[in-house]
Amino acid sequence: MKVELLGAKIDALNMQETENMVAGMVSRGGGGQVITLNPEYLYRAQSEPGLLDVANSAGVVTPDGEGIVWACKTSGHPVPERVTGIDLMLRLVRRASAEGWKVFLLGASPGVADAAAKKLSERFSGLQVVGTHHGYFKDDEDKEVLDRIIAAGPDLLFVALGAPRQELWIHRYLQQLNCVAMGVGGSFDVISGHVQRAPLWTQRLKIEWFYRLVKEPTRWRRMMVLPKFAWLVTKKYRLKT
Ligand code: UDP
């Protein structure tokens, strides 16, 4: 079931159900896009309707972040739980190793996708990583990157270019990619060990965002969106203006 939040349709599924749904897409073939929707993306989409169109044409849209979970509850259409990019990616990679699906990692600084692929292969035996490519290429190099991915023929493509570039990139080339593709933000940095994931206690207390802000103070500009997003949700669903 999908619930609507500020114009975006979000899948009201828990983590296990989401994993199963994406696995179904992979098994059926024909490809598809998976978006883990966060408040920054949805706030920006209010003034850039193209971003809403991209989200609403994706096969799966998950509530990524406590902000989205809270907003869905406030709107009267709650979702079961937060489904973050990195957690869903790790589950899908585990599934890929069991099912024999081929995986490609695109994005992050040079060397990071390779390091992440190595870590994943150590963790999930039998995993087939059919290619990696860094994420610092120019628009006129898209074709070259695309050709490499197509030649490798993955079943699952993880794209770490940051939002919303990764979502737009996948949307633009989905037909040619002919696989299931998902944007994963900074996940390769964490999986490779270049960046530490916020400790579990910060996730449990729902203050992971605060931990990331302390660790990477340059994120404050992005986080300025969070109170604006909260106000927008309050205005629309609580005050009904
Ligand atoms: N990135 C990239 N190419 C770019 C800009 C960013 O590959 O032109 C990568 C960056 O190295 C990082 C990821 O995109 O690995 C974005 O991480 P961020 O922490 O911003 O994403 P979040 O998890 O917050 O969505």
Side-chain angles (χ1 to χ4, degrees), residues 174-206:
L174 195 58
Q175 292 287 326
Q176 295 157 71
L177 287 165
N178 192 33
C179 65
V180 173
M182 166 176 163
V184 292
S187 299
F188 298 174
D189 298 303
V190 175
I191 291 168
S192 64
H194 284 75
V195 171
Q196 263 191 327
R197 173 112 197 242
L200 215 52
W201 65 268
T202 64
Q203 295 174 43
R204 286 209 189 102
L205 287 176
K206 307 189 193 306

Side-chain angles (χ1 to χ4, degrees), residues 38 107-109 135-136 160-163 165 184-187 189 212 219 222:
N38 64 21
S109 303
Y136 288 83
L161 300 175
R165 184 178 165 213
V184 292
S187 299
D189 298 303
R212 292 184 82 178
R219 297 182 80 90
R222 283 174 52 177

Side-chain angles (χ1 to χ4, degrees), residues 134-188:
H134 67 82
Y136 288 83
F137 55 92
K138 301 196 188 74
D139 290 349
D140 62 7
E141 292 168 306
D142 275 4
K143 190 174 173 331
E144 212 177 293
V145 174
L146 201 57
D147 286 347
R148 268 203 33 200
I149 300 170
I150 293 167
D155 301 293
L156 257 175
L157 167 68
F158 296 103
V159 183
L161 300 175
R165 184 178 165 213
Q166 60 200 17
E167 281 74 27
L168 295 169
W169 203 89
I170 292 170
H171 180 78
R172 175 181 294 169
Y173 298 118
L174 195 58
Q175 292 287 326
Q176 295 157 71
L177 287 165
N178 192 33
C179 65
V180 173
M182 166 176 163
V184 292
S187 299
F188 298 174

Side-chain angles (χ1 to χ4, degrees), residues 45-98:
Q46 302 306 300
S47 52
E48 293 176 46
L51 292 180
L52 267 189
D53 295 341
V54 168
N56 288 335
S57 67
V60 177
V61 178
T62 80
D64 184 359
E66 290 303 338
I68 297 283
V69 174
W70 165 81
C72 287
K73 194 168 166 208
T74 302
S75 76
H77 302 290
V79 290
E81 62 179 336
R82 183 170 83 132
V83 177
T84 65
I86 185 162
D87 294 323
L88 182 59
M89 176 182 167
L90 289 172
R91 277 172 169 260
L92 291 170
V93 169
R94 184 179 58 195
R95 192 100 171 215
S97 73

